[in-house]
Every structure is written in C-alpha cells, then in structure tokens.
Amino acid sequence: MLAAQRQQAVVDRLQAEGVVRVTDLVHAFDVSDMTVRRDLDALARRGLLIKVHGGATLRTSPTSEEPGFAAKAAREGAEKAAIAAAAVALIEPGMAIALNSGTTTWAMAQLLAPIPDLTVVTNSPRIAEVLWSFDAGTTGQQGTTGQQGPTVIATGGVRTPSDALVGPLAVNALSTLNVDVCFMGVHGISLERGITTPNLLEAQTNQQMLESASRLCVLADHTKFGLSGLSRIAGLEEVQTLITDDAMSASAVDLLRGYIDEVVLAPVGAPAQGVGA
C-alpha cells in the first residue's frame, strides 16, 4: 500500500470512529510503528487530525465547517496563483466558460482580460466584480487593457459564508446554459468521496454547473487532497482535468491518474507542465 493510500485509509477510519491507535494501524497496514507515525505526522501537518499519545483523534473542525472568503484567500496564495495561470492557458478566444465561487477561480478571473470574445458564467459576486472592472479599465495587476472585458453572466441566488450564490435561482439559471469548460474550485478531493464542499446548496449548484459544461476542470492545491466536505459534488471519474501544484506527492498523483484523464502540475513560480494519464 502506497503512503497516500494508507493516509487516506487513516482519514476514513478517523471519520468513522473518531480516533485511531498506532498499534492498530501497524497491524492493519502491516507496516512499522515508525511508518505509521510518519503518516500521522503528515496528516497532522495538513490539518486533518490531531496527534495524541499513542494515536490520533479527528480534527475538531466538522465537515460542514465553511470558512469565509477572506480566510480561504489567505491560504496557499502562491500555489493558487500557479494553478490559476495554468488554467488560463487552457482557454481559447471565443470560448464560454464557467467559474464557480472560490479563491482559486477568483485568482484565475484576474488573468482573463487579454482573452478576446470570452463569455464567463459565474455564481461568484467577487469574480463578477473583477470581470466587470475590466470594462472600467480598473483591472488591478492587469493594468488598463484598452479593450472590452469578457461578457459576464451572473446566476443570482442566496449568498453563502464563502460568497457563493446558490439555491434554486442559481440552479435554474445554470440549467439553461451551455459552456465549453467548467473550472471548479473545491473544498476537498478524495479517492473515495470525489470532489466535495461543506455546503449542501453549493454542491447542488456546482452539480448543475458541471452538467452545463462539456468539460470539467477541477482546480485544487495539494492541501485539498484527502479532505472531505459534507456534500459530494461529483466522483473523480467525472473530472476530465485536474490542475494542482507541484507539492502534490508523486504517490497521490499516481493514484489520481487512475481516475482522471489529465493531471496538470503547476510549478510555483514557473510555467505549468502536463502529466498524462
């Protein structure tokens, strides 16, 4: 069993039982005490568990915990910027794309001004504001573009703590649309649970968004691997492309390639590189 598989199994056991013991894991995985402790150290660094004497307990934050936009934006900024740049490289002039609400898709939106004849569907007020600002010439890092920005279609809906517009209004609006690619940021990505979010209504809205798209591209930095939110959006087999950063472990990439057609590793501070399936 690879390290990523063992660690996912530890997380699954914790979610089922609330606590794990080192001695039990040594027996279950047929590995050394030191190997188990290294796995627990790795999961603790990712905030997935709390180490205690002789084992570990489930992290106190529940799967329904939904951090606010500002809290999420402060995490893994360099990784999100690299992922956003790699995602923008997949867009061609004249495309219609969907961006769900998230801090990685928000970073991506700030790079879209130079792409001509682009239509963007989004359930994020923050992303819509960024795109509308291009027309006003106040584009932040992009500077004044001198050209019209993308056509923006905002869904409407009820606003969540993470600034997503969700619910029946958003779902109904998305059900009438067709886009070439849906770029979706997620709370967590797991081999068994797929892509997830803490918010039930957001999961329903994201499900409709991916149904409206010909292709699904998930944007998830390495810290999202092994995390599970309360509500499932889709299985990994429904994802055509995953863009992550190059801190994702080689064993995790190998496992993900078993489910996803294309995994793109975006080196932080360097051009992205593809990893074929």
Side-chain angles (χ1 to χ4, degrees):
M1 185 180 289
L2 298 174
Q5 292 174 305
R6 283 197 313 273
Q7 291 168 18
Q8 181 66 55
V10 171
V11 172
D12 291 343
R13 183 172 294 201
L14 272 172
Q15 290 175 338
E17 301 174 9
V19 62
V20 294
R21 301 178 66 86
V22 171
T23 53
D24 293 338
L25 296 176
V26 166
H27 178 74
F29 301 145
D30 194 23
V31 294
S32 69
D33 177 280
M34 187 60 67
T35 295
V36 169
R37 293 184 186 279
R38 282 198 297 265
D39 287 340
L40 296 182
D41 286 338
L43 292 169
R45 286 194 298 270
R46 291 162 56 190
L48 300 180
L49 55 76
I50 299 172
K51 291 185 65 182
V52 296
H53 181 70
T57 61
L58 191 64
R59 181 174 175 242
T60 54
S61 300
T63 59
S64 59
E65 179 188 40
E66 186 173 6
F69 187 92
K72 293 195 294 184
R75 303 172 184 171
E76 288 75 45
E79 290 86 347
K80 291 174 181 177
I83 292 168
V88 170
L90 302 180
I91 301 174
E92 299 177 2
M95 273 188 169
I97 66 171
L99 302 181
N100 78 328
S101 180
T103 53
T104 309
T105 48
W106 177 72
M108 182 182 170
Q110 298 176 62
L111 306 176
L112 296 179
I115 302 175
D117 302 321
L118 185 66
T119 298
V120 180
V121 177
T122 186
N123 69 325
S124 166
R126 289 180 182 259
I127 288 175
E129 288 170 2
V130 168
L131 299 176
W132 285 326
S133 75
F134 295 156
D135 288 333
T138 55
T139 60
Q141 294 179 354
Q142 293 298 317
T144 301
T145 65
Q147 66 182 38
Q148 185 177 1
T151 298
V152 182
I153 301 174
T155 64
V158 178
R159 203 164 185 165
T160 70
S162 61
D163 283 352
L165 298 176
V166 301
L169 283 176
V171 170
N172 288 339
L174 290 166
S175 68
T176 66
L177 302 173
N178 296 295
V179 299
D180 297 298
V181 185
C182 172
F183 293 93
M184 185 171 291
V186 298
H187 172 82
I189 182 167
S190 160
L191 297 180
E192 294 187 355
R193 292 173 174 79
I195 54 176
T196 57
T197 175
N199 189 293
L200 289 167
L201 289 177
E202 188 165 7
Q204 294 172 354
T205 304
N206 285 344
Q207 287 165 359
Q208 183 59 61
M209 186 175 285
L210 71 86
E211 287 181 14
S212 300
S214 298
R215 186 173 184 85
L216 173 60
C217 179
V218 169
L219 313 180
D221 68 76
H222 70 278
T223 66
K224 304 294 181 67
F225 184 69
L227 287 179
S228 295
L230 176 66
S231 190
R232 184 177 187 267
I233 301 168
L236 294 186
E237 66 280 358
E238 299 178 63
V239 180
Q240 284 75 47
T241 301
L242 168 67
I243 304 179
T244 186
D245 60 90
D246 61 349
M248 182 74 77
S249 70
S251 58
V253 171
D254 286 341
L255 291 170
L256 289 165
R257 287 170 61 189
Y259 296 85
I260 299 172
D261 293 340
E262 180 184 28
V263 177
V264 176
L265 298 181
V268 176
Q273 298 177 351
V275 179

